[in-house]
Each structure stands twice: as structure tokens, then as C-alpha cells.
Amino acid sequence: MIYLETDRLILRDYLPDDFENYLRLKTDPRTMYYLQDIQLHSPEEGKTDFEQVLLDMDSPDRRFYFLHMELKDTREQVGSIGYTVMADTPVGKLVHLGYFTYPAFWGRGYTSEALKKLLAFAFTQNGVYRVTTGCLAENRGSERVMQKNGMIKEAEHLDYEWHDGKMKTRLEYRLLKREWEQANL
């Protein structure tokens, strides 16, 4: 089981008792505004999704490393952060990162703090070689989280994605293990 701590947060694997929190987070329309493709819409859909999360955690070929993010002092749920293994190569895992937090916690540095810890885990304990992620250009808060953690902008795709009734520009970021190591010597 993955269990990580920062100054203010606990990041950990989901437990069976977390279902209600998981469902509330992934059905929240403001939290999931930029991640509508993984937003849940019903308890039944949530149950199926959550069961898959728990099954994957026990798999020897685990693909999903998304962690429950909560405040240390109150145990209040902040959101979720993690990555999906896209490929496992001879040099290490290639993963795609994601995070989503309740609006009440935006702008307080929680996601940046959690990502710093998650990247350390990924590169030092989980055999990750390359992390990629991205966001819509209008999502400045998400882009700032990437930048604060040393991620490097690789692309800006103009009018790339249909979202909320219009075409929007998408930004792509990356971080290689050696780049992370150089920044964290």
C-alpha cells in the first residue's frame, strides 16, 4: 500500500471504505470540469469504477497509481492525484499524470505540494522514467502546478480539443527522471 506524507497532506491508496468520498469527488461538476471524460454520473457507475481501482491496486501489473489526497490535521478529502502507466520499458515506466481537487482547496498550494511528493515517489521508488501531463491553456492553475514542479512545456496545440461547446488549446508538459534528479540534487 502506498502511503506518503507532506507537511500538510496524506497521499495514500484508496481503501474500500473510501467509496463515498471517491464518488462525491468524481461526480462533482466543478472539480471534474476539465476532466469530463473520467467524470462519474451515478452511484452504479462509481461502484464499477471504484471496484476496478481496488482490483488494479492488487495486480502485479498495476497501471493506476491514483492516490486519495487528504489534510493531515482534519482528514478532510482534498482530491486525488496520480498517474497511469502507459508503457513499461527497459529504461522505466512511461506514465501520464493527473490530479483533481475540490474548488475549496484551489490556490492554496496543496496540489503543488502533493505533486512534489508524488514525483519523488515515482522517480525514486516506482521505476518511472518519464512523466507527461497537460491541461487546457485556460486552466492556468493546473499549468502553474506543473511549472512549480519543474515540468517542461513540450507543446501547445491550438484549437485541439472540443470542450464546453468550443475548441480549446491544449498544453503538454513532461519531466524525465534525469531532469527531476538534476533539479533535486
Side-chain angles (χ1 to χ4, degrees), residues 155-173:
E156 181 171 333
H157 304 286
L158 298 177
D159 289 346
Y160 183 79
E161 187 174 323
W162 183 258
H163 180 265
D164 204 18
K166 57 186 157 219
M167 293 302 296
K168 296 185 179 179
T169 297
R170 181 165 179 81
L171 308 175
E172 298 291 338
Y173 278 76

Side-chain angles (χ1 to χ4, degrees), residues 12-131:
R12 62 167 174 79
D13 275 329
Y14 284 95
L15 302 170
D17 290 346
D18 291 325
F19 174 69
E20 292 300 324
N21 283 332
Y22 183 84
L23 181 64
R24 187 170 54 254
L25 180 70
K26 288 196 71 180
T27 56
D28 184 82
R30 287 195 60 213
T31 300
M32 302 305 292
Y33 178 73
Y34 288 110
L35 296 165
Q36 295 171 7
D37 58 325
I38 63 167
Q39 182 177 359
L40 300 175
H41 301 91
S42 71
E44 296 76 27
E45 188 181 18
K47 187 174 187 289
T48 301
D49 192 60
F50 191 65
E51 286 172 356
Q52 290 302 311
V53 167
L54 296 178
L55 282 173
D56 184 69
M57 283 177 8
D58 292 332
S59 169
D61 298 320
R62 183 173 177 172
R63 288 191 58 230
F64 302 104
Y65 289 85
F66 278 84
L67 306 175
H68 173 84
M69 188 177 6
E70 65 185 35
L71 297 177
K72 259 187 185 176
D73 56 355
T74 65
R75 299 289 198 235
E76 184 180 3
Q77 182 185 33
V78 173
S80 185
I81 189 167
Y83 51 84
T84 301
V85 177
M86 307 308 286
D88 197 351
T89 74
V91 296
K93 295 173 185 168
L94 310 180
V95 304
H96 190 74
L97 170 76
Y99 41 82
F100 38 101
T101 57
Y102 284 114
F105 299 103
W106 294 350
R108 297 185 185 183
Y110 290 118
T111 307
S112 295
E113 183 177 323
L115 182 52
K116 181 178 181 178
K117 189 68 167 186
L118 182 68
L119 289 171
F121 166 79
F123 290 129
T124 66
Q125 298 177 50
N126 197 234
V128 171
Y129 176 76
R130 179 184 172 94
V131 175

